[in-house]
Amino acid sequence: MRGPAVQAIDWQKSTYSGDSSNCVYVATTPTGAVHLHESDEPDVTLTTTSPPLRALIRSLKAQPSPHTT
């Protein structure tokens, strides 16, 4: 007996990564899952859905950047 078919994930580089070598990649699936991974550790994947990811991004944008002077 075979297991469920594994769908290929179409990874896209985040536009916020720019041209740097440290990149974040994002992929979505038809089930609504959002997958994220870093170029440094491509075998480690974070999986979530859009609402929690949107809340995280909104929260991060609301915080002052430690890199601004």
Side-chain angles (χ1 to χ4, degrees):
M1 183 162 95
R2 300 176 93 189
V6 176
Q7 293 181 345
I9 295 178
D10 184 25
W11 292 101
Q12 295 181 356
K13 182 177 169 182
S14 169
T15 56
Y16 289 100
S17 293
D19 292 330
S20 70
S21 61
N22 297 325
C23 304
V24 173
Y25 289 86
V26 181
T28 59
T29 63
T31 63
V34 178
H35 303 282
L36 304 156
H37 78 80
E38 259 189 291
S39 58
D40 290 348
E41 294 190 47
D43 295 334
V44 178
T45 302
L46 171 68
T47 303
T48 188
T49 57
S50 293
L53 181 58
R54 190 173 19 254
L56 173 64
I57 292 169
R58 210 176 296 135
S59 174
L60 292 171
K61 284 183 174 183
Q63 300 298 318
S65 172
H67 302 290
T68 58
T69 54

Short mmCIF file of all heavy atoms in Angstrom, two decimals:
data_model
loop_
_atom_site.label_atom_id
_atom_site.label_comp_id
_atom_site.label_asym_id
_atom_site.label_seq_id
_atom_site.Cartn_x
_atom_site.Cartn_y
_atom_site.Cartn_z
N MET A 1 0.84 -1.18 0.00
CA MET A 1 0.00 0.00 0.00
C MET A 1 0.89 1.24 0.00
O MET A 1 1.86 1.32 0.74
CB MET A 1 -0.90 -0.03 1.23
CG MET A 1 -1.86 1.11 1.27
SD MET A 1 -3.23 0.81 2.38
CE MET A 1 -2.65 1.60 3.84
N ARG A 2 0.52 2.22 -0.80
CA ARG A 2 1.29 3.46 -0.90
C ARG A 2 0.68 4.53 -0.02
O ARG A 2 -0.53 4.58 0.17
CB ARG A 2 1.31 3.94 -2.34
CG ARG A 2 1.95 2.93 -3.28
CD ARG A 2 1.85 3.40 -4.67
NE ARG A 2 3.09 4.13 -4.97
CZ ARG A 2 3.29 4.82 -6.06
NH1 ARG A 2 2.35 4.93 -6.97
NH2 ARG A 2 4.43 5.43 -6.27
N GLY A 3 1.52 5.43 0.46
CA GLY A 3 1.06 6.55 1.28
C GLY A 3 0.48 7.63 0.39
O GLY A 3 0.43 7.50 -0.84
N PRO A 4 0.01 8.72 0.98
CA PRO A 4 -0.55 9.83 0.20
C PRO A 4 0.51 10.44 -0.70
O PRO A 4 1.69 10.46 -0.37
CB PRO A 4 -1.05 10.83 1.25
CG PRO A 4 -0.36 10.45 2.51
CD PRO A 4 0.01 8.99 2.41
N ALA A 5 0.07 10.95 -1.83
CA ALA A 5 1.00 11.58 -2.77
C ALA A 5 1.56 12.85 -2.15
O ALA A 5 0.84 13.62 -1.53
CB ALA A 5 0.28 11.90 -4.07
N VAL A 6 2.84 13.04 -2.32
CA VAL A 6 3.50 14.25 -1.81
C VAL A 6 3.52 15.26 -2.94
O VAL A 6 4.00 14.99 -4.02
CB VAL A 6 4.94 13.93 -1.34
CG1 VAL A 6 5.65 15.20 -0.92
CG2 VAL A 6 4.93 12.91 -0.24
N GLN A 7 2.95 16.43 -2.67
CA GLN A 7 2.93 17.49 -3.67
C GLN A 7 4.22 18.29 -3.61
O GLN A 7 4.76 18.55 -2.53
CB GLN A 7 1.76 18.44 -3.43
CG GLN A 7 0.42 17.82 -3.65
CD GLN A 7 -0.69 18.83 -3.42
OE1 GLN A 7 -0.48 19.88 -2.85
NE2 GLN A 7 -1.87 18.50 -3.89
N ALA A 8 4.72 18.65 -4.76
CA ALA A 8 5.90 19.51 -4.82
C ALA A 8 5.49 20.91 -4.36
O ALA A 8 4.41 21.38 -4.67
CB ALA A 8 6.44 19.57 -6.24
N ILE A 9 6.35 21.52 -3.58
CA ILE A 9 6.08 22.86 -3.08
C ILE A 9 6.83 23.86 -3.94
O ILE A 9 8.02 23.70 -4.20
CB ILE A 9 6.49 23.00 -1.60
CG1 ILE A 9 5.61 22.10 -0.74
CG2 ILE A 9 6.39 24.43 -1.13
CD1 ILE A 9 5.95 22.12 0.73
N ASP A 10 6.13 24.89 -4.38
CA ASP A 10 6.71 25.93 -5.21
C ASP A 10 7.19 27.07 -4.31
O ASP A 10 6.43 27.95 -3.94
CB ASP A 10 5.68 26.43 -6.22
CG ASP A 10 6.25 27.46 -7.19
OD1 ASP A 10 7.48 27.45 -7.41
OD2 ASP A 10 5.47 28.25 -7.73
N TRP A 11 8.47 27.03 -3.93
CA TRP A 11 9.05 28.03 -3.04
C TRP A 11 9.30 29.32 -3.79
O TRP A 11 9.76 29.31 -4.91
CB TRP A 11 10.36 27.53 -2.45
CG TRP A 11 10.20 26.38 -1.52
CD1 TRP A 11 10.44 25.07 -1.79
CD2 TRP A 11 9.77 26.43 -0.16
NE1 TRP A 11 10.18 24.30 -0.69
CE2 TRP A 11 9.77 25.11 0.33
CE3 TRP A 11 9.39 27.46 0.69
CZ2 TRP A 11 9.40 24.81 1.63
CZ3 TRP A 11 9.02 27.16 1.99
CH2 TRP A 11 9.03 25.84 2.45
N GLN A 12 8.99 30.44 -3.13
CA GLN A 12 9.26 31.76 -3.68
C GLN A 12 10.08 32.55 -2.67
O GLN A 12 9.78 32.53 -1.47
CB GLN A 12 7.97 32.51 -3.98
CG GLN A 12 7.15 31.85 -5.05
CD GLN A 12 5.88 32.63 -5.34
OE1 GLN A 12 5.56 33.61 -4.69
NE2 GLN A 12 5.15 32.17 -6.33
N LYS A 13 11.07 33.25 -3.16
CA LYS A 13 11.92 34.07 -2.29
C LYS A 13 11.12 35.30 -1.86
O LYS A 13 10.49 35.97 -2.67
CB LYS A 13 13.16 34.49 -3.06
CG LYS A 13 14.13 35.31 -2.27
CD LYS A 13 15.35 35.60 -3.12
CE LYS A 13 16.25 36.62 -2.48
NZ LYS A 13 17.39 36.93 -3.34
N SER A 14 11.15 35.59 -0.57
CA SER A 14 10.46 36.76 -0.05
C SER A 14 11.04 38.03 -0.66
O SER A 14 12.25 38.17 -0.80
CB SER A 14 10.61 36.81 1.47
OG SER A 14 10.18 38.06 1.96
N THR A 15 10.17 38.96 -1.00
CA THR A 15 10.63 40.23 -1.57
C THR A 15 11.43 41.03 -0.54
O THR A 15 12.23 41.88 -0.91
CB THR A 15 9.45 41.08 -2.07
OG1 THR A 15 8.53 41.29 -1.00
CG2 THR A 15 8.75 40.40 -3.23
N TYR A 16 11.23 40.77 0.74
CA TYR A 16 11.98 41.48 1.78
C TYR A 16 13.40 40.97 1.90
O TYR A 16 14.23 41.58 2.55
CB TYR A 16 11.27 41.36 3.14
CG TYR A 16 10.01 42.17 3.20
CD1 TYR A 16 8.77 41.57 3.02
CD2 TYR A 16 10.06 43.53 3.41
CE1 TYR A 16 7.60 42.32 3.06
CE2 TYR A 16 8.90 44.30 3.45
CZ TYR A 16 7.68 43.67 3.28
OH TYR A 16 6.54 44.42 3.33
N SER A 17 13.73 39.83 1.28
CA SER A 17 15.08 39.29 1.36
C SER A 17 16.05 40.05 0.48
O SER A 17 17.26 40.01 0.70
CB SER A 17 15.09 37.81 0.96
OG SER A 17 14.39 37.05 1.91
N GLY A 18 15.55 40.73 -0.55
CA GLY A 18 16.42 41.49 -1.44
C GLY A 18 17.43 40.61 -2.13
O GLY A 18 17.14 39.47 -2.47
N ASP A 19 18.64 41.12 -2.28
CA ASP A 19 19.70 40.38 -2.95
C ASP A 19 20.66 39.72 -1.97
O ASP A 19 21.71 39.22 -2.38
CB ASP A 19 20.48 41.31 -3.88
CG ASP A 19 19.65 41.77 -5.06
OD1 ASP A 19 18.76 41.01 -5.49
OD2 ASP A 19 19.89 42.89 -5.56
N SER A 20 20.33 39.72 -0.71
CA SER A 20 21.24 39.15 0.28
C SER A 20 21.28 37.63 0.17
O SER A 20 20.42 37.00 -0.43
CB SER A 20 20.82 39.55 1.69
OG SER A 20 19.62 38.91 2.04
N SER A 21 22.31 37.05 0.77
CA SER A 21 22.43 35.59 0.74
C SER A 21 21.60 34.93 1.83
O SER A 21 21.37 33.74 1.80
CB SER A 21 23.90 35.19 0.88
OG SER A 21 24.40 35.65 2.11
N ASN A 22 21.16 35.71 2.82
CA ASN A 22 20.28 35.19 3.87
C ASN A 22 18.84 35.46 3.45
O ASN A 22 18.33 36.56 3.63
CB ASN A 22 20.57 35.88 5.21
CG ASN A 22 21.96 35.60 5.69
OD1 ASN A 22 22.48 34.52 5.49
ND2 ASN A 22 22.58 36.57 6.32
N CYS A 23 18.20 34.45 2.90
CA CYS A 23 16.87 34.64 2.32
C CYS A 23 15.82 33.83 3.05
O CYS A 23 16.09 32.75 3.57
CB CYS A 23 16.88 34.21 0.86
SG CYS A 23 18.11 35.07 -0.13
N VAL A 24 14.60 34.35 3.03
CA VAL A 24 13.45 33.63 3.53
C VAL A 24 12.62 33.22 2.32
O VAL A 24 12.38 34.01 1.42
CB VAL A 24 12.60 34.52 4.47
CG1 VAL A 24 11.31 33.82 4.86
CG2 VAL A 24 13.41 34.91 5.70
N TYR A 25 12.21 31.95 2.31
CA TYR A 25 11.39 31.44 1.22
C TYR A 25 10.01 31.08 1.76
O TYR A 25 9.87 30.62 2.89
CB TYR A 25 12.04 30.20 0.60
CG TYR A 25 13.26 30.55 -0.19
CD1 TYR A 25 14.50 30.66 0.42
CD2 TYR A 25 13.18 30.80 -1.55
CE1 TYR A 25 15.64 30.99 -0.29
CE2 TYR A 25 14.31 31.14 -2.29
CZ TYR A 25 15.53 31.23 -1.65
OH TYR A 25 16.64 31.57 -2.37
N VAL A 26 8.99 31.33 0.94
CA VAL A 26 7.59 31.13 1.32
C VAL A 26 6.91 30.27 0.28
O VAL A 26 7.18 30.41 -0.92
CB VAL A 26 6.86 32.49 1.42
CG1 VAL A 26 5.41 32.30 1.83
CG2 VAL A 26 7.57 33.42 2.37
N ALA A 27 6.02 29.39 0.73
CA ALA A 27 5.22 28.58 -0.20
C ALA A 27 3.85 28.35 0.43
O ALA A 27 3.71 28.27 1.65
CB ALA A 27 5.89 27.25 -0.47
N THR A 28 2.83 28.27 -0.40
CA THR A 28 1.48 27.97 0.08
C THR A 28 1.00 26.68 -0.59
O THR A 28 1.50 26.30 -1.64
CB THR A 28 0.49 29.10 -0.23
OG1 THR A 28 0.46 29.32 -1.63
CG2 THR A 28 0.88 30.38 0.48
N THR A 29 0.03 26.06 0.04
CA THR A 29 -0.56 24.84 -0.51
C THR A 29 -2.05 25.06 -0.68
O THR A 29 -2.63 25.96 -0.07
CB THR A 29 -0.32 23.64 0.41
OG1 THR A 29 -0.99 23.88 1.66
CG2 THR A 29 1.16 23.40 0.68
N PRO A 30 -2.70 24.21 -1.49
CA PRO A 30 -4.15 24.33 -1.68
C PRO A 30 -4.95 24.19 -0.38
O PRO A 30 -6.06 24.68 -0.28
CB PRO A 30 -4.48 23.20 -2.65
CG PRO A 30 -3.21 22.92 -3.36
CD PRO A 30 -2.12 23.21 -2.36
N THR A 31 -4.38 23.56 0.63
CA THR A 31 -5.08 23.39 1.91
C THR A 31 -5.05 24.65 2.77
O THR A 31 -5.67 24.70 3.82
CB THR A 31 -4.47 22.24 2.71
OG1 THR A 31 -3.11 22.56 3.02
CG2 THR A 31 -4.55 20.92 1.96
N GLY A 32 -4.28 25.66 2.34
CA GLY A 32 -4.18 26.90 3.10
C GLY A 32 -2.95 26.99 3.99
O GLY A 32 -2.75 27.98 4.68
N ALA A 33 -2.13 25.95 3.97
CA ALA A 33 -0.91 25.99 4.78
C ALA A 33 0.10 26.94 4.15
O ALA A 33 0.19 27.05 2.93
CB ALA A 33 -0.31 24.59 4.89
N VAL A 34 0.83 27.63 5.00
CA VAL A 34 1.90 28.52 4.56
C VAL A 34 3.19 27.95 5.14
O VAL A 34 3.30 27.73 6.34
CB VAL A 34 1.69 29.97 5.07
CG1 VAL A 34 2.84 30.86 4.63
CG2 VAL A 34 0.36 30.52 4.59
N HIS A 35 4.16 27.70 4.27
CA HIS A 35 5.44 27.12 4.67
C HIS A 35 6.52 28.19 4.52
O HIS A 35 6.54 28.94 3.55
CB HIS A 35 5.80 25.92 3.80
CG HIS A 35 4.78 24.85 3.80
ND1 HIS A 35 4.64 23.95 4.83
CD2 HIS A 35 3.82 24.53 2.89
CE1 HIS A 35 3.66 23.12 4.55
NE2 HIS A 35 3.14 23.46 3.39
N LEU A 36 7.43 28.24 5.49
CA LEU A 36 8.53 29.19 5.49
C LEU A 36 9.83 28.45 5.79
O LEU A 36 9.84 27.52 6.61
CB LEU A 36 8.34 30.25 6.59
CG LEU A 36 7.04 31.03 6.55
CD1 LEU A 36 6.72 31.57 7.92
CD2 LEU A 36 7.16 32.16 5.57
N HIS A 37 10.89 28.85 5.12
CA HIS A 37 12.21 28.35 5.50
C HIS A 37 13.28 29.35 5.13
O HIS A 37 13.08 30.20 4.28
CB HIS A 37 12.50 26.95 4.95
CG HIS A 37 12.89 26.89 3.50
ND1 HIS A 37 14.16 27.17 3.07
CD2 HIS A 37 12.19 26.56 2.40
CE1 HIS A 37 14.21 27.01 1.76
NE2 HIS A 37 13.03 26.66 1.33
N GLU A 38 14.41 29.25 5.82
CA GLU A 38 15.55 30.13 5.60
C GLU A 38 16.54 29.45 4.67
O GLU A 38 16.66 28.22 4.67
CB GLU A 38 16.29 30.35 6.92
CG GLU A 38 16.00 31.64 7.59
CD GLU A 38 16.96 31.83 8.75
OE1 GLU A 38 16.84 31.09 9.73
OE2 GLU A 38 17.81 32.71 8.65
N SER A 39 17.28 30.25 3.91
CA SER A 39 18.27 29.67 3.01
C SER A 39 19.39 28.98 3.80
O SER A 39 19.99 28.02 3.32
CB SER A 39 18.85 30.73 2.09
OG SER A 39 19.43 31.79 2.84
N ASP A 40 19.66 29.44 5.02
CA ASP A 40 20.71 28.83 5.84
C ASP A 40 20.35 27.41 6.28
O ASP A 40 21.23 26.59 6.49
CB ASP A 40 20.98 29.66 7.09
CG ASP A 40 21.66 30.98 6.78
OD1 ASP A 40 22.12 31.16 5.64
OD2 ASP A 40 21.72 31.83 7.68
N GLU A 41 19.05 27.15 6.49
CA GLU A 41 18.60 25.83 6.95
C GLU A 41 17.36 25.40 6.15
O GLU A 41 16.25 25.36 6.67
CB GLU A 41 18.27 25.87 8.44
CG GLU A 41 19.49 26.12 9.30
CD GLU A 41 19.19 25.91 10.77
OE1 GLU A 41 18.57 24.88 11.11
OE2 GLU A 41 19.57 26.78 11.55
N PRO A 42 17.55 25.05 4.87
CA PRO A 42 16.41 24.74 4.02
C PRO A 42 15.63 23.49 4.42
O PRO A 42 14.49 23.32 4.00
CB PRO A 42 17.03 24.58 2.63
CG PRO A 42 18.46 24.26 2.89
CD PRO A 42 18.81 24.96 4.17
N ASP A 43 16.22 22.63 5.24
CA ASP A 43 15.51 21.42 5.67
C ASP A 43 14.59 21.67 6.86
O ASP A 43 13.81 20.80 7.23
CB ASP A 43 16.50 20.31 6.01
CG ASP A 43 17.27 19.84 4.79
OD1 ASP A 43 16.75 19.99 3.66
OD2 ASP A 43 18.40 19.35 4.95
N VAL A 44 14.69 22.84 7.48
CA VAL A 44 13.83 23.21 8.61
C VAL A 44 12.72 24.10 8.08
O VAL A 44 12.97 25.18 7.56
CB VAL A 44 14.64 23.94 9.71
CG1 VAL A 44 13.73 24.36 10.84
CG2 VAL A 44 15.79 23.08 10.20
N THR A 45 11.49 23.63 8.21
CA THR A 45 10.34 24.35 7.67
C THR A 45 9.34 24.67 8.77
O THR A 45 9.00 23.80 9.57
CB THR A 45 9.64 23.52 6.58
OG1 THR A 45 10.59 23.23 5.55
CG2 THR A 45 8.47 24.27 5.97
N LEU A 46 8.89 25.90 8.80
CA LEU A 46 7.83 26.34 9.70
C LEU A 46 6.54 26.31 8.90
O LEU A 46 6.49 26.82 7.78
CB LEU A 46 8.11 27.76 10.20
CG LEU A 46 6.99 28.45 10.97
CD1 LEU A 46 6.80 27.76 12.32
CD2 LEU A 46 7.30 29.90 11.16
N THR A 47 5.50 25.71 9.45
CA THR A 47 4.22 25.64 8.77
C THR A 47 3.16 26.31 9.63
O THR A 47 3.06 26.04 10.82
CB THR A 47 3.82 24.18 8.49
OG1 THR A 47 4.85 23.56 7.73
CG2 THR A 47 2.52 24.10 7.71
N THR A 48 2.38 27.18 9.02
CA THR A 48 1.32 27.91 9.71
C THR A 48 0.19 28.16 8.71
O THR A 48 0.16 27.55 7.64
CB THR A 48 1.87 29.23 10.31
OG1 THR A 48 0.86 29.82 11.12
CG2 THR A 48 2.33 30.19 9.26
N THR A 49 -0.72 29.04 9.05
CA THR A 49 -1.78 29.47 8.14
C THR A 49 -1.70 30.99 8.03
O THR A 49 -1.00 31.65 8.80
CB THR A 49 -3.18 29.04 8.63
OG1 THR A 49 -3.39 29.57 9.93
CG2 THR A 49 -3.32 27.52 8.65
N SER A 50 -2.45 31.55 7.11
CA SER A 50 -2.37 32.99 6.86
C SER A 50 -2.71 33.88 8.05
O SER A 50 -1.98 34.84 8.32
CB SER A 50 -3.26 33.37 5.67
OG SER A 50 -2.75 32.81 4.50
N PRO A 51 -3.81 33.62 8.80
CA PRO A 51 -4.14 34.55 9.90
C PRO A 51 -3.03 34.70 10.96
O PRO A 51 -2.67 35.83 11.30
CB PRO A 51 -5.42 33.97 10.49
CG PRO A 51 -6.06 33.25 9.33
CD PRO A 51 -4.89 32.65 8.58
N PRO A 52 -2.43 33.62 11.47
CA PRO A 52 -1.36 33.82 12.45
C PRO A 52 -0.12 34.48 11.85
O PRO A 52 0.52 35.30 12.50
CB PRO A 52 -1.01 32.41 12.93
CG PRO A 52 -2.15 31.55 12.53
CD PRO A 52 -2.79 32.20 11.35
N LEU A 53 0.20 34.15 10.60
CA LEU A 53 1.35 34.78 9.95
C LEU A 53 1.10 36.27 9.75
O LEU A 53 1.97 37.10 10.01
CB LEU A 53 1.65 34.11 8.61
CG LEU A 53 2.86 34.66 7.85
CD1 LEU A 53 4.14 34.57 8.68
CD2 LEU A 53 3.01 33.94 6.52
N ARG A 54 -0.10 36.63 9.34
CA ARG A 54 -0.46 38.04 9.16
C ARG A 54 -0.36 38.79 10.49
O ARG A 54 0.17 39.89 10.56
CB ARG A 54 -1.88 38.13 8.59
CG ARG A 54 -2.29 39.49 8.14
CD ARG A 54 -3.63 39.53 7.42
NE ARG A 54 -4.53 38.41 7.60
CZ ARG A 54 -4.78 37.46 6.69
NH1 ARG A 54 -4.20 37.50 5.52
NH2 ARG A 54 -5.61 36.48 6.95
N ALA A 55 -0.82 38.17 11.58
CA ALA A 55 -0.75 38.79 12.91
C ALA A 55 0.71 38.98 13.33
O ALA A 55 1.07 40.02 13.90
CB ALA A 55 -1.50 37.96 13.93
N LEU A 56 1.56 37.99 13.06
CA LEU A 56 2.98 38.11 13.40
C LEU A 56 3.62 39.26 12.62
O LEU A 56 4.32 40.09 13.20
CB LEU A 56 3.71 36.80 13.09
CG LEU A 56 5.23 36.86 13.25
CD1 LEU A 56 5.63 37.13 14.69
CD2 LEU A 56 5.86 35.58 12.73
N ILE A 57 3.37 39.33 11.33
CA ILE A 57 3.96 40.39 10.51
C ILE A 57 3.48 41.76 10.97
O ILE A 57 4.25 42.70 11.10
CB ILE A 57 3.66 40.16 9.01
CG1 ILE A 57 4.41 38.91 8.54
CG2 ILE A 57 4.03 41.38 8.18
CD1 ILE A 57 4.01 38.42 7.17
N ARG A 58 2.17 41.87 11.25
CA ARG A 58 1.62 43.14 11.74
C ARG A 58 2.30 43.55 13.05
O ARG A 58 2.65 44.71 13.25
CB ARG A 58 0.11 42.98 11.94
CG ARG A 58 -0.65 44.25 11.73
CD ARG A 58 -2.15 44.07 11.82
NE ARG A 58 -2.65 43.20 10.77
CZ ARG A 58 -3.52 42.22 10.95
NH1 ARG A 58 -4.01 41.96 12.13
NH2 ARG A 58 -3.92 41.48 9.94
N SER A 59 2.49 42.59 13.95
CA SER A 59 3.13 42.87 15.23
C SER A 59 4.59 43.30 15.04
O SER A 59 5.05 44.25 15.69
CB SER A 59 3.08 41.62 16.11
OG SER A 59 3.80 41.79 17.29
N LEU A 60 5.31 42.63 14.16
CA LEU A 60 6.70 42.99 13.91
C LEU A 60 6.83 44.37 13.30
O LEU A 60 7.73 45.14 13.65
CB LEU A 60 7.36 41.95 13.01
CG LEU A 60 7.56 40.56 13.63
CD1 LEU A 60 8.03 39.57 12.57
CD2 LEU A 60 8.50 40.62 14.81
N LYS A 61 5.92 44.70 12.40
CA LYS A 61 5.96 46.03 11.77
C LYS A 61 5.65 47.14 12.78
O LYS A 61 6.12 48.26 12.62
CB LYS A 61 4.95 46.10 10.61
CG LYS A 61 5.42 45.38 9.38
CD LYS A 61 4.41 45.55 8.27
CE LYS A 61 4.90 44.96 6.97
NZ LYS A 61 3.93 45.19 5.87
N ALA A 62 4.88 46.83 13.80
CA ALA A 62 4.49 47.84 14.80
C ALA A 62 5.63 48.12 15.79
O ALA A 62 5.63 49.14 16.45
CB ALA A 62 3.26 47.37 15.56
N GLN A 63 6.61 47.22 15.87
CA GLN A 63 7.73 47.39 16.80
C GLN A 63 8.80 48.26 16.15
O GLN A 63 9.08 48.12 14.98
CB GLN A 63 8.33 46.02 17.16
CG GLN A 63 7.35 45.08 17.82
CD GLN A 63 6.84 45.61 19.14
OE1 GLN A 63 7.58 46.14 19.94
NE2 GLN A 63 5.53 45.50 19.33
N PRO A 64 9.43 49.12 16.94
CA PRO A 64 10.54 49.90 16.38
C PRO A 64 11.70 48.97 16.03
O PRO A 64 11.99 48.03 16.75
CB PRO A 64 10.92 50.87 17.50
CG PRO A 64 10.22 50.39 18.71
CD PRO A 64 9.15 49.44 18.30
N SER A 65 12.33 49.23 14.92
CA SER A 65 13.47 48.42 14.48
C SER A 65 14.68 48.73 15.34
O SER A 65 14.99 49.89 15.60
CB SER A 65 13.78 48.70 13.02
OG SER A 65 14.98 48.05 12.65
N PRO A 66 15.40 47.70 15.77
CA PRO A 66 16.63 47.95 16.56
C PRO A 66 17.73 48.53 15.69
O PRO A 66 18.73 48.98 16.20
CB PRO A 66 17.00 46.58 17.09
CG PRO A 66 16.39 45.62 16.15
CD PRO A 66 15.13 46.27 15.63
N HIS A 67 17.54 48.54 14.37
CA HIS A 67 18.56 49.03 13.45
C HIS A 67 18.38 50.49 13.05
O HIS A 67 19.18 51.03 12.33
CB HIS A 67 18.61 48.15 12.20
CG HIS A 67 18.88 46.72 12.54
ND1 HIS A 67 20.10 46.28 12.99
CD2 HIS A 67 18.08 45.64 12.51
CE1 HIS A 67 20.04 44.98 13.23
NE2 HIS A 67 18.84 44.56 12.96
N THR A 68 17.30 51.13 13.51
CA THR A 68 17.10 52.54 13.17
C THR A 68 17.80 53.40 14.22
O THR A 68 17.90 53.07 15.37
CB THR A 68 15.60 52.91 13.12
OG1 THR A 68 15.01 52.60 14.38
CG2 THR A 68 14.90 52.17 12.01
N THR A 69 18.26 54.54 13.75
CA THR A 69 18.97 55.42 14.71
C THR A 69 18.23 56.73 14.81
O THR A 69 17.45 57.11 14.02
CB THR A 69 20.40 55.71 14.21
OG1 THR A 69 20.36 56.23 12.89
CG2 THR A 69 21.22 54.45 14.26
#
